[in-house]
Amino acid sequence: MGKRTWIDSDIWTDTEGLNNAEQVLYFWLLTNNQRNIAGYYKINLAYAKLDLHVSENRIEKMLLKPQKYWLYDHDTRQVLIPKFTRYNIVRSKQQFSALNAELNKLKPCYLHREFLKAFEEVNGVGSLEMIDPRFKQKAERIE
């Protein structure tokens, strides 16, 4: 059995400005086997190509297009879905433990800061207290 992800029905009205291909990519980013509890993970474009039947070049062009649904770092091949924890709420100690384990696997890049900003925006003031201090320190050191 694969990983489970909650997909809010608002996703269809929450994708204003995306064309059909970008909507499919967004849905794939939310549900593919590479994603994790944080909605911030390293992406393998070869898997995306197989799943979406689109060239890696076209996928990367869509990922690099400025918009609010995902952020992508070309150098680390990491993607962040800012609203992921809006759809998949992290509440329990075990969930935060899993989230922190996933965050600490990632290479430092500007997305670390973006994750912290998005996580607090979605989950409220004080929510960052459960984020591993090592991850927060890495985020602070990024230029």
Side-chain angles (χ1 to χ4, degrees), residues 18-29 32 34 41-67 70-74 77-79:
L18 295 181
N19 63 37
N20 288 345
E22 292 165 341
Q23 284 182 331
V24 171
L25 176 61
Y26 184 48
F27 193 73
W28 183 84
L29 290 169
N32 75 80
Q34 299 168 70
Y41 56 91
K42 182 170 180 158
I43 188 172
N44 184 322
L45 295 177
Y47 289 138
K49 175 185 171 182
L50 290 172
D51 289 345
L52 300 173
H53 306 284
V54 177
S55 73
E56 290 181 33
N57 187 41
R58 182 154 182 236
I59 293 167
E60 190 158 52
K61 281 182 182 177
M62 286 190 288
L63 288 169
L64 288 168
K65 179 183 171 187
Q67 42 65 39
W70 62 79
L71 299 169
Y72 177 68
D73 183 74
H74 170 77
R77 300 275 196 244
Q78 293 172 172
V79 66

Side-chain angles (χ1 to χ4, degrees), residues 1 3 7 26-27 29-30 64 72 98 106 110 114 120 123 125 131 139:
M1 181 180 287
K3 298 177 187 178
I7 302 296
Y26 184 48
F27 193 73
L29 290 169
L30 288 168
L64 288 168
Y72 177 68
L106 297 167
Y110 83 98
E114 295 297 327
E120 186 171 44
N123 297 286
V125 176
I131 302 296

Side-chain angles (χ1 to χ4, degrees), residues 72-130:
Y72 177 68
D73 183 74
H74 170 77
D75 295 333
T76 63
R77 300 275 196 244
Q78 293 172 172
V79 66
L80 167 64
I81 305 156
K83 290 186 178 181
F84 190 83
T85 58
R86 173 181 167 209
Y87 304 122
N88 295 277
I89 300 167
V90 178
R91 289 190 181 136
S92 73
K93 190 173 183 175
Q94 291 92 346
Q95 289 172 322
F96 272 103
S97 179
L99 179 129
N100 284 316
E102 293 296 335
L103 292 176
N104 285 319
K105 292 178 188 176
L106 297 167
K107 291 182 182 178
C109 70
Y110 83 98
L111 295 177
H112 277 39
R113 284 192 314 270
E114 295 297 327
F115 170 83
L116 293 173
K117 186 170 94 179
F119 191 84
E120 186 171 44
E121 189 176 298
V122 168
N123 297 286
V125 176
S127 60
L128 295 180
E129 292 176 14
M130 296 295 287

